[in-house]
């Protein structure tokens, strides 16, 4: 299973929630309609008709198809407890930092004569707040998964491979074949 860094960041922020988001389709739809200020906007966000949204709000429809259920859950979680989410981001970007756990292929560009063959490694490493800030800022500005991966690998290279830049100066690190990545606050 390949996780994306963007999804992992969202999941990390969800762990800061103080209350559970609405669980039933009707409650989720009501919340989304309230947040988006109307059934038309909710229908547009979910890619369904306005009438379908109205049926869920009224309780006439109760069990959405699997694809709609996933979209509905994602849209609700994206808007759930924005102040708690902002506080968690601020804490990670100013004092707390992040913990990155990954299983990926790492390769190196190093001095001649050293072994730089790429190999799979399991790494769990705390990253300082500046990398958390860079990741969250890039995510908000619509960075691609590749750009988010580059920020993560820069942090791992600095903290894990170069021991906070106290050794292996000039070591370049490549991050490929990501099997798993998880980010925690």
């Amino acid at each position: 299973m390949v996780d994306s860094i963007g999804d992992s960041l969202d999941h990390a922020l969800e762990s800061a929630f103080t209350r559970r988001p609405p669980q039933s389709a009707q409650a989720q739809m009501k919340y989304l309609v309230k947040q988006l200020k109307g059934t038309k906007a909710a229908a547009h966000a979910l890619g369904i008709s306005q009438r379908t949204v109205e049926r869920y709000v009224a309780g006439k429809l109760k069990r959405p198809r699997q694809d709609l259920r996933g979209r509905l859950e994602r849209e609700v979680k994206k808007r759930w407890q924005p102040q708690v989410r902002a506080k968690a981001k601020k804490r990670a970007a100013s004092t707390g930092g992040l913990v990155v756990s990954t299983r990926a292929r790492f390769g190196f560009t190093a001095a001649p004569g050293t072994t730089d063959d790429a190999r799979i490694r399991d790494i769990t490493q705390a990253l300082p707040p500046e990398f958390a800030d860079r990741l969250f800022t890039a995510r908000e500005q619509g960075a691609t998964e590749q750009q988010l991966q580059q920020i993560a690998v820069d942090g791992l290279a600095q903290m894990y491979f170069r021991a906070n830049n106290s050794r292996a100066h000039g070591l370049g690190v490549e991050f490929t074949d990501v099997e798993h990545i998880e980010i925690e606050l």
Side-chain angles (χ1 to χ4, degrees):
M1 177 172 102
V2 176
D3 295 336
S4 75
I5 292 178
D7 290 344
S8 192
L9 285 170
D10 291 342
H11 186 69
L13 290 174
E14 289 168 15
S15 70
F17 288 165
T18 57
R19 292 179 305 157
R20 284 178 47 177
Q23 298 300 303
S24 72
Q26 182 179 16
Q28 288 175 334
M29 200 65 79
K30 282 181 178 179
Y31 176 78
L32 203 56
V33 166
K34 183 178 178 184
Q35 289 298 307
L36 297 174
K37 297 176 178 35
T39 55
K40 188 173 185 177
H44 181 67
L46 294 170
I48 57 177
S49 72
Q50 184 176 353
R51 184 67 187 124
T52 302
V53 171
E54 292 166 356
R55 287 184 183 123
Y56 277 107
V57 169
K60 293 178 181 170
L61 293 177
K62 296 186 187 295
R63 292 190 183 88
R65 298 180 319 272
Q66 189 170 355
D67 61 327
L68 176 58
R69 183 179 18 207
R71 287 194 312 264
L72 183 58
E73 198 171 296
R74 241 184 337 273
E75 292 296 323
V76 167
K77 283 183 179 179
K78 189 189 306 182
R79 291 166 176 81
W80 187 250
Q81 292 191 327
Q83 292 174 334
V84 171
R85 186 184 299 264
K87 193 181 289 185
K89 278 184 194 179
K90 184 178 179 184
R91 186 175 53 249
S94 61
T95 58
L98 300 170
V99 175
V100 177
S101 299
T102 187
R103 178 173 174 82
R105 183 172 306 278
F106 288 89
F108 309 99
T109 307
T114 59
T115 162
D116 59 354
D117 292 337
R119 65 178 190 241
I120 296 283
R121 291 178 185 249
D122 289 312
I123 296 176
T124 300
Q125 179 65 47
L127 298 183
E130 65 256 18
F131 288 102
D133 185 38
R134 284 178 57 193
L135 279 168
F136 285 126
T137 302
R139 175 84 165 135
E140 288 169 5
Q141 293 174 349
T144 65
E145 184 64 22
Q146 198 66 27
Q147 292 167 322
L148 293 174
Q149 277 187 5
Q150 188 58 49
I151 295 169
V153 79
D154 289 346
L156 289 172
Q158 178 180 325
M159 299 308 294
Y160 182 82
F161 294 103
R162 291 188 219 117
N164 201 13
N165 289 331
S166 65
R167 64 180 168 92
H169 301 288
L171 178 71
V173 180
E174 290 180 2
F175 187 59
T176 58
D177 300 336
V178 179
E179 291 181 15
H180 171 76
I181 190 160
E182 185 176 333
I183 297 175
E184 297 174 16
L185 299 177

